Amino acid sequence: MFKLLSERSFAHLRLLTRFSHNESTLAALKTATNSAALRTYPYFINRTRFQSLPVYVDVKNGRTRKLTIVRRIEGDINAFHREITNALDLETLAIKNASSQLVFKGDCAEEIRR
């Protein structure tokens, strides 16, 4: 039997845990998740219905201009922007607060997904 850990609280773990129904295994799982130093983020990125990250490449101007769009950002979009630009050194074109999207210059979808 598979059980998905709480989507919101363990969003960065993204793992399925297989366990039996005996008490010792459940207790060990509970203490392992409680004792781990989990970092909380001020933002959350919802996955698509096929469980992939919502990072897309948009091609414009007759295939001469490529834009990378990150969608479905909940929470503090500016904190996510600061963290991703510091980690990857990307050039940002737009922060769309109304539609919860970030637009980056170039094709950097693979770097963002990692």
Side-chain angles (χ1 to χ4, degrees):
M1 178 175 167
F2 290 96
K3 181 179 179 183
L4 182 64
L5 295 176
S6 168
E7 188 74 24
R8 291 265 181 198
S9 60
F10 301 108
H12 59 283
L13 291 180
R14 299 279 187 228
L15 57 94
L16 293 174
T17 305
R18 186 176 186 164
F19 63 92
S20 62
H21 287 289
N22 63 23
E23 294 299 320
S24 62
T25 307
L26 290 175
L29 178 65
K30 198 176 284 188
T31 57
T33 56
N34 288 341
S35 65
L38 299 176
R39 182 175 172 198
T40 58
Y41 295 92
Y43 56 84
F44 182 79
I45 300 177
N46 281 322
R47 292 186 174 247
T48 63
R49 65 181 179 166
F50 299 111
Q51 300 304 312
S52 63
L53 289 172
V55 180
Y56 307 100
V57 177
D58 191 14
V59 180
K60 296 187 174 200
N61 285 355
R63 292 185 276 192
T64 61
R65 183 176 183 201
K66 293 184 180 181
L67 305 175
T68 303
I69 302 171
V70 181
R71 298 181 53 218
R72 295 181 169 210
I73 304 168
E74 291 181 3
D76 191 2
I77 193 169
N78 293 320
F80 176 70
H81 173 254
R82 280 190 304 273
E83 198 165 314
I84 198 96
T85 53
N86 289 340
L88 300 177
D89 193 34
L90 301 173
E91 184 178 342
T92 307
L93 292 180
I95 300 174
K96 298 180 180 181
N97 287 323
S99 59
S100 300
Q101 296 180 359
L102 283 177
V103 181
F104 297 102
K105 185 176 183 179
D107 183 2
C108 50
E110 290 301 317
E111 292 89 13
I112 293 174
R113 285 188 187 116
R114 282 189 244 144

